[in-house]
Amino acid sequence: MKHRTLLAAGLTAVALTLTACGGGDGEDSTSDGPADLRMTVWTSDEAQLALFQEIADAYVAEHSDTVSGISFETLPFEDYTTGITTQIAGGNPPDLAWIFESSAPEFVASGALLDLRPVLEETDGYDAGDLEPDALRLWESDGGLYAYPFSNSPFGVFVNTDQLTAAGQPLPADLIAAGDWTWDRAAEIAAATAQTSGKAGLVVRDFDFALWENLGTIWSSFGARPWSEDGSSCEFTSPEMIDALTWIHDQIFTTGALPGPGTTADFFAGDAAMTVTQISRASALDGSFGWDLVPLPDGPEGHINVIGQAGIGVFADGPNADVAADFLAYFTNPENAERLAAYFPPPRTSLLNAETLQGANAKLTAEQLQAVVIDGIPGAVTKPAHANFAQLQAAIRAELDALWTADADVTAVAESVCAAAEPLLAG
């Protein structure tokens, strides 16, 4: 608890830094002479970085009068947002930065980011009208667009078909065809397969009883959400959330469909029957077992698609904001967006087709991409996000610890979550 208190305090300082450094409008922000741009990212993948640099070098070659070079700085994923805001506080902000969807409202509200809509709409050949409106929503405010959502990755379920077949269980693809792919059926199959295999059943990847926001892939189809749409009130005590948390608790401690605390099970190493995650994980499949990828199951409120997003923003008070915005328009134009689709599902409707995406994701079939990605973006809800998300994440995690015991009182835990969250939501 002491560690979490210190962490929350540090994240509070990060939020204050954003607010203090915000308010710029990009005017008089271009430095004298060609600019040397820097973008922070969290990827360390050599192929991805090589593609970024190739696009950047082409831009420099075409704009040598305004930009002398562009570099990409990798910051550790687990400390990424803190790393950016530390740079801002130290007077050394990047020109552009990737931004987590969970931090989007915080960054947008801070005033730290440049409104990109004018440059995107005015750039020849950019075709801003091709951007999927649902993908932009999280990054908009008062008509402005404060980051480009370069990655729009729906969650799906990877299935170890060998394990299910060995356990005599139906395959999700057949259940989908029969209109019977639900969380209840998925849990039944996961529990039965785990009992037969001695391995895990259904794993919500990266949850690990810490990143509770990943459970939104389940509770969204129960009609539940952690807070109201305007982010002002806690909804962990709503009937829908109580039902969802009760269901999750039962699958952990009663049926065994979901692994319990302390269990490490990597689906891609063959340690689980199914896992909820995004398509980028397909690169970890090595052909050692049969598998499939299917959409999230239906819940009591029907089928709800859930996506994780990441945006690229330009810092308004940076010395090269105008040049950085022009580069972002180049980096994400139709041609380059298609190249980036090899790793990041784009927000461009013209590129959301099986032919384009399969060319960039050879391990996935056109049918899988259509069902999970193309059909999974329009109308999807994003993972939880809030202008005060950093403090909320830590506070809610601390209260949810009491839920991860066999005899937990779900309603009492939900009430304690809201007691901790309400002051942070109000603030």
Side-chain angles (χ1 to χ4, degrees):
M1 288 299 296
K2 179 179 179 182
H3 171 75
R4 289 178 184 147
T5 300
L6 292 172
L7 175 61
L11 292 172
T12 300
V14 165
L16 292 174
T17 297
L18 278 176
T19 302
C21 293
D25 59 8
E27 295 182 2
D28 300 323
S29 58
T30 303
S31 59
D32 294 332
D36 190 13
L37 301 181
R38 176 169 57 92
M39 181 193 294
T40 57
V41 299
W42 55 73
T43 183
S44 58
D45 184 284
E46 292 183 1
Q48 294 177 12
L49 292 171
L51 175 58
F52 300 165
Q53 197 63 60
E54 185 177 335
I55 295 173
D57 290 346
Y59 179 83
V60 172
E62 295 178 16
H63 300 81
S64 58
D65 56 331
T66 58
V67 60
S68 57
I70 302 172
S71 60
F72 299 90
E73 177 186 10
T74 299
L75 301 180
F77 181 87
E78 59 274 12
D79 300 316
Y80 182 79
T81 300
T82 303
I84 294 174
T85 50
T86 298
Q87 291 186 11
I88 296 172
N92 184 36
D95 298 288
L96 308 94
W98 286 6
I99 300 170
F100 291 124
E101 80 277 278
S102 58
S103 300
E106 186 173 6
F107 275 91
V108 170
S110 73
L113 300 176
L114 185 72
D115 180 6
L116 300 173
R117 196 177 297 279
V119 69
L120 299 186
E121 291 182 346
E122 294 167 9
T123 297
D124 290 341
Y126 190 81
D127 192 10
D130 187 37
L131 303 180
E132 168 60 49
D134 286 337
L136 304 181
R137 188 175 301 116
L138 187 63
W139 311 92
E140 295 176 316
S141 178
D142 296 328
L145 177 64
Y146 293 91
Y148 168 90
F150 74 94
S151 181
N152 304 264
S153 189
F155 285 84
V157 181
F158 282 91
V159 182
N160 186 320
T161 55
D162 288 350
Q163 286 190 22
L164 267 62
T165 299
Q169 296 300 305
L171 298 179
D174 295 331
L175 295 177
I176 291 171
D180 194 26
W181 179 230
T182 66
W183 283 111
D184 284 340
R185 291 292 280 133
E188 291 172 7
I189 294 167
T193 304
Q195 187 172 22
T196 298
S197 68
K199 300 180 179 181
L202 172 64
V203 175
V204 179
R205 191 174 179 91
D206 297 324
F207 161 51
D208 293 331
F209 298 90
L211 299 183
W212 54 265
E213 59 269 28
N214 285 343
L215 294 177
T217 54
I218 297 176
W219 72 45
S220 293
S221 64
F222 282 72
R225 57 189 181 187
W227 38 74
S228 58
E229 187 171 352
D230 65 3
S232 65
S233 60
C234 179
E235 294 201 2
F236 268 88
T237 54
S238 69
E240 294 83 0
M241 183 63 86
I242 295 297
D243 287 347
L245 293 178
T246 299
W247 186 91
I248 292 168
H249 187 272
D250 287 347
Q251 305 314 321
I252 296 170
F253 296 103
T254 301
T255 72
L258 276 65
T263 301
T264 299
D266 182 0
F267 170 87
F268 298 97
D271 298 336
M274 293 182 279
T275 189
V276 177
T277 190
Q278 294 161 298
I279 66 164
S280 58
R281 303 288 189 174
S283 60
L285 293 162
D286 60 6
S288 59
F289 55 83
W291 60 275
D292 194 6
L293 172 65
V294 298
L296 295 174
D298 295 350
E301 294 298 313
H303 184 77
I304 304 294
N305 291 313
V306 181
I307 64 172
Q309 281 192 313
I312 304 175
V314 172
F315 287 101
D317 285 340
N320 309 299
D322 294 337
V323 178
D326 189 71
F327 168 63
L328 188 150
Y330 179 87
F331 191 73
T332 62
N333 67 24
E335 178 184 1
N336 288 323
E338 183 172 359
R339 299 174 69 188
L340 294 169
Y343 307 102
F344 310 106
R348 290 187 171 275
T349 56
S350 63
L351 298 178
L352 293 176
N353 58 75
E355 181 181 0
T356 298
L357 294 179
Q358 190 175 26
N361 298 273
K363 290 187 177 182
L364 303 177
T365 67
E367 292 77 16
Q368 291 168 336
L369 289 165
Q370 180 71 46
V372 177
V373 181
I374 300 170
D375 295 341
I377 293 178
V381 300
T382 59
K383 290 171 57 183
H386 193 276
N388 201 16
F389 185 80
Q391 292 187 76
L392 285 163
Q393 206 284 337
I396 292 173
R397 173 183 174 179
E399 298 304 321
L400 283 178
D401 277 351
L403 185 61
W404 313 129
T405 60
D407 59 352
D409 182 331
V410 175
T411 300
V413 171
E415 290 173 349
S416 71
V417 167
C418 280
E422 284 289 359
L424 300 174
L425 293 167

